[in-house]
Amino acid sequence: MATGVRFPTDSSTATARQVVADALRKVDPVGAQAAERETNWRRGYLIHFSRLLEAGLATPEDAVTIATEGLRSIREQMRCGDGSLADALDSRAAGHDWSTVDITGEAEPETELSVPYRGRRLTGADLDDQLDDWVQRGVVEPTFSEAIREVAAHPEWLRLEGDTVVVLGAGAEMGPYRSLLRWGADVIAVDLPRADIQKRIRDHAREGAGRVRLPVGGKETGADLLHTLPELGRWLDDLEGRLVLGTYCYADGATHVRVSAAADTLAARLLSQRPDTALAYLATPTDVFAVPAGAVTTSNDAYENGRRLLRAPFRTLSGGRLLQRNYPPDVEIGVCDSLVPQQGPNYALAKRVQRWRAAVARHDGATVSLNVAPATRTASVVKNRALAAAYAGAHRFGVEVFEPATSNVLMAALLVHDLRSDRVPAEEPWREEAYAAAHGGLWTAGYHPRSALGLAAVLGFAGSRA
């Protein structure tokens, strides 16, 4: 059985089902009962995660209630040490006091936003042209282009002077660690105490232009969120200045939920002890989102202008399952369900916990950066052959899949924008999630993502073989 932060039983299914039911209970009691009665969670979770979003669309208060109850449930159910996760950081951690390794980079800070894209570095007019192209093709929301342009116009923001960014998962492919260092930011790099990971983190620190601090527990550099959560919390308590807690951790299967729950406990503690703390997350595009009218109109136009003669036989042979339209006609707010069954319910819950915390913290007045990142060819994705094939064929359906280097810089720039711009967040959580979204075209595609996923995989596999 797992140790440290863990599920109350050997199976994650019962906990996940209970968390979803508890989240829905006050707003959608019928939906809560349906989740509790689901007998095939591995296949049936999709509809319940969609309901978590849809039940919160009536009022902002409903969305915040769902998020609050979901967080409460997972905090009370998950275990840490001899008690619940809710109690994990309430007492002083036992054991050795932690120390700090401090590294200052040797490079000069970059003073211009530069985005790597298809073998080029985009700046100035070239970056403007590419942003226009992405918007025109429906790859990003127009507000994404506006936000990136604002950062490019204010290169003095890039250094994030006065803030200390705590990067949980500093070695993650989709994290902002390297971009922040190139810009000269002050970073706390937290990742597993593994020699290969820590060497990579140190090498990037020396090559960068910022300041990096690493936690050291005993003889090990690094921190394992699952097994040293209280100690890490105590170490962070001693840091001065405003912290920006960025959660970029990833793990396979149920471990991802455990890590996400541990990081959320840390976020709740920091917000309680240090109310000026800001939070940062990346939302996956393969989730359920409410999308604005402009994206719905683009999608419906794409469906109507699609190749009907080619679409008809697929629809007929599949009994209507393939190439379904993404949204009903004439809806003002669309619901884009891009959940991918291959990623599984644990992945969905781990990412939903982050969206819930963002909604609750923002409602309570905290600064929050949560941005929808584009589908990206990370190692964790392409090792799944079905997903790798689907990504290879996605362009046939108007979806652009990004390289990690491009996504990293763009998402780090959005983090800078969220921390430095004077934009007032939207009252409705769904609108705030849709702001500056880089969904890659999933929201504007003519077809429901899952109804085209199989064909994209077939076309992608055939293309790679060719």
Side-chain angles (χ1 to χ4, degrees), residues 26-94:
K26 289 185 177 180
V27 174
D28 181 6
V30 174
Q33 291 181 357
E36 287 178 321
R37 293 171 181 170
E38 178 62 63
T39 58
N40 188 349
W41 189 252
R42 183 63 183 81
R43 291 181 175 273
Y45 77 95
L46 299 168
I47 189 172
H48 305 294
F49 274 83
S50 182
R51 199 154 184 166
L52 284 170
L53 182 281
E54 294 171 346
L57 293 180
T59 68
E61 291 75 18
D62 285 346
V64 173
T65 296
I66 290 170
T68 300
E69 292 302 304
L71 293 174
R72 177 195 57 76
S73 179
I74 198 165
R75 191 170 59 249
E76 291 179 355
Q77 290 191 73
M78 298 293 287
R79 317 308 296 168
C80 183
D82 296 328
S84 72
L85 187 55
D87 301 327
L89 297 180
D90 285 348
S91 59
R92 298 288 289 178

Side-chain angles (χ1 to χ4, degrees), residues 151-163:
V151 174
H154 292 276
E156 71 278 7
W157 288 357
L158 293 174
R159 193 162 188 165
L160 290 177
E161 194 164 354
D163 284 339

